[in-house]
Amino acid sequence: MIPAERRSEYKRKPREERWSELLNVAAQVIYEKGYQAASLQEISDRLGIMKGSLYYYIRSKEDILFAVLHNIHEMGLANVTSLAAEGGTAVERLRRVIRGHILFIAEHLVDTTIFLHEMKALPADRQREILGGATSYPKLFRQLIAEGQAEGGIRRSLDTELTATIVLGSLNSTYRWMRAGDMEAAERIGAHFGEILISGLVAEEHAP
Amino acid sequence: MIPAERRSEYKRKPREERWSELLNVAAQVIYEKGYQAASLQEISDRLGIMKGSLYYYIRSKEDILFAVLHNIHEMGLANVTSLAAEGGTAVERLRRVIRGHILFIAEHLVDTTIFLHEMKALPADRQREILGGATSYPKLFRQLIAEGQAEGGIRRSLDTELTATIVLGSLNSTYRWMRAGDMEAAERIGAHFGEILISGLVAEEHAP
């Protein structure tokens, strides 16, 4: 049983704060159990509210997953987009994006893991609603690599699209082994990734 | 309902063949639904046998997951170990291991995906039983990179352990976007990975 005072504490908060707390708690449950096994009962138990009260915020468990994935995608994309827009050569901007994306993953490890594991649990139209905007991660990495190849900084022998997929996929794979919120380690990992990937991509005449 | 003739067909096969078919079908169900949501009922339905017959082979759903993960780990580790044991410098052997591991993932995409997603569903002692042998993927990659640094082929400024983690994690991340069994694409992906990662790792005096 949930103590009554916890319930009333939750209900005293402003609606946005409760919604954000609900998403944080739900993300933690989905992270631990997987989306299929995560139950609204457990989410409401951890929030200290009645399960029925959740329907004040959502119509279904799917609405929670959608909100978590939508939010983390928006935030992460805004992060790399702004880093890519700062000045410098394409290679310099790519190095900045690599570091910044690694830091973002470390800082948002729970939500990133859900994004990378549970997207396929959403119906196709809701996946498109999240991923189908004018910009996207793959597009941003493709553009940076294509610009680097046009500038001569990145080897033209590499296939632009495949290379972008390899770079983005490699960065994302760190969610599997980074520790949440260990930003000092994330800095080291981001620097190593930058060194390895950038040296791996640079044109021969630009090699260090 | 399962037609009686399918049931008898399954039962006529030798035991090893039925076990291997059971694991293949179960892996496919786990791949599609996730381990938590995969049910013995669905596995037995797809095999065309009664659910109770599964208990002739296993005691629990966990036994199936253990067998799938154990087999794919043994096979994959044997693959990279034999590639690393062939001759050449550490850098040459690492390039061969990179290509061979990518091909292996493409060829065994369903089981590899389960290995990378569902290991934590096993109790700690059964995880150790799979991962705790004398050799391991991380150890093999660490050794190759350390040898490359000792030979002077790989930059000594890179942290050996972190670099091994980055390389192995980056290769494994391809399970997310490679197409199962498309070996032509896997060859291109393996070659690109080799080019990017090896160039990224080579010591400055060895840069192409």
Side-chain angles (χ1 to χ4, degrees):
Chain A
M1 283 305 295
I2 306 301
E5 64 273 17
R6 268 196 74 196
R7 276 208 293 280
S8 56
E9 180 195 323
Y10 183 80
K11 286 196 173 150
R12 269 202 308 274
K13 293 177 183 168
R15 194 174 197 289
E16 299 72 40
E17 200 179 318
R18 290 198 304 258
W19 173 235
S20 147
E21 187 183 349
L22 190 161
L23 290 185
N24 282 339
V25 167
Q28 189 62 37
V29 175
I30 295 170
Y31 177 73
E32 290 170 20
K33 312 252 161 155
Y35 174 68
Q36 295 280 359
S39 70
L40 291 181
Q41 187 63 60
E42 174 145 12
I43 293 167
S44 54
D45 283 354
R46 291 207 200 171
L47 283 166
I49 61 173
M50 306 298 287
K51 183 177 159 195
S53 308
L54 285 178
Y55 294 103
Y56 182 62
Y57 303 91
I58 51 158
R59 282 164 310 172
S60 65
K61 189 170 82 166
E62 190 191 293
D63 286 349
I64 294 181
L65 182 62
F66 176 79
V68 170
L69 298 186
H70 189 272
N71 291 354
I72 191 69
H73 182 259
E74 291 282 293
M75 280 169 60
L77 195 53
N79 177 52
V80 290
T81 303
S82 77
L83 290 169
E86 288 173 31
T89 65
V91 166
E92 285 163 356
R93 286 179 290 139
L94 180 59
R95 188 189 289 270
R96 204 183 298 131
V97 164
I98 287 171
R99 171 181 173 276
H101 189 49
I102 292 288
L103 294 179
F104 182 87
I105 294 171
E107 205 169 336
H108 303 278
L109 202 63
V110 166
D111 289 11
T112 299
T113 301
I114 298 172
F115 180 82
L116 292 169
H117 275 190
E118 307 287 7
M119 182 62 78
K120 67 181 188 294
L122 286 181
D125 60 326
R126 297 195 96 177
Q127 291 188 32
R128 266 196 305 276
E129 201 176 330
I130 295 172
L131 301 172
T135 58
S136 70
Y137 282 106
K139 198 170 162 186
L140 183 127
F141 279 84
R142 271 202 305 277
Q143 275 173 350
L144 278 173
I145 287 161
E147 283 173 41
Q149 291 178 309
E151 288 173 8
I154 293 179
R155 283 186 277 167
R156 297 198 174 94
S157 62
L158 295 170
D159 179 282
T160 309
E161 173 141 12
L162 179 51
T163 301
T165 306
I166 286 175
V167 169
L168 178 55
S170 298
L171 298 177
N172 282 347
S173 71
T174 55
Y175 85 92
R176 297 182 59 82
W177 49 273
M178 283 206 289
R179 276 197 305 271
D182 184 344
M183 302 314 289
E184 205 177 307
E187 280 285 3
R188 273 184 72 230
I189 294 162
H192 263 70
F193 253 110
E195 212 176 326
I196 293 170
L197 289 178
I198 295 293
S199 307
L201 298 176
V202 288
E204 301 188 13
E205 63 270 30
H206 289 72
Chain B
M1 284 301 297
I2 306 301
E5 65 273 17
R6 268 197 72 197
R7 278 209 291 281
S8 56
E9 183 196 320
Y10 183 81
K11 286 197 172 151
R12 267 202 310 275
K13 293 176 182 169
R15 194 173 196 291
E16 298 74 40
E17 200 179 319
R18 289 197 304 257
W19 174 234
S20 147
E21 187 182 349
L22 190 161
L23 290 185
N24 281 338
V25 167
Q28 188 63 38
V29 175
I30 295 170
Y31 177 71
E32 291 169 19
K33 313 250 161 156
Y35 174 67
Q36 295 280 0
S39 70
L40 292 181
Q41 188 63 59
E42 174 145 12
I43 293 167
S44 54
D45 282 354
R46 291 207 200 173
L47 283 166
I49 61 173
M50 306 297 288
K51 183 177 161 196
S53 308
L54 285 177
Y55 294 103
Y56 182 62
Y57 303 91
I58 50 158
R59 281 164 309 172
S60 65
K61 190 170 82 164
E62 189 191 296
D63 286 348
I64 294 182
L65 182 62
F66 176 79
V68 170
L69 298 186
H70 189 270
N71 291 355
I72 192 68
H73 183 258
E74 290 282 292
M75 279 169 62
L77 195 53
N79 177 52
V80 290
T81 303
S82 77
L83 290 170
E86 288 174 31
T89 65
V91 167
E92 285 163 354
R93 285 179 291 138
L94 180 60
R95 188 189 289 271
R96 203 184 298 132
V97 164
I98 288 171
R99 172 181 172 274
H101 190 49
I102 293 287
L103 293 180
F104 182 86
I105 293 171
E107 205 169 336
H108 303 278
L109 202 63
V110 166
D111 290 11
T112 299
T113 301
I114 298 172
F115 181 82
L116 292 169
H117 276 189
E118 307 286 6
M119 181 63 78
K120 67 182 188 294
L122 287 180
D125 60 325
R126 297 195 96 177
Q127 291 188 32
R128 266 196 305 278
E129 201 177 329
I130 294 172
L131 301 172
T135 58
S136 69
Y137 282 106
K139 196 169 163 187
L140 183 126
F141 279 84
R142 271 202 304 276
Q143 275 173 349
L144 278 173
I145 287 161
E147 283 173 40
Q149 290 178 310
E151 288 173 7
I154 293 178
R155 283 185 277 166
R156 296 201 177 93
S157 61
L158 295 170
D159 179 281
T160 308
E161 174 141 10
L162 179 51
T163 301
T165 306
I166 286 175
V167 169
L168 178 56
S170 298
L171 297 178
N172 282 347
S173 71
T174 55
Y175 86 91
R176 296 183 58 82
W177 49 274
M178 282 206 289
R179 276 196 305 272
D182 185 344
M183 301 314 288
E184 206 177 305
E187 280 286 4
R188 273 184 71 231
I189 295 162
H192 262 70
F193 253 112
E195 212 177 326
I196 294 170
L197 290 177
I198 295 293
S199 307
L201 299 176
V202 288
E204 301 187 12
E205 64 271 30
H206 289 70

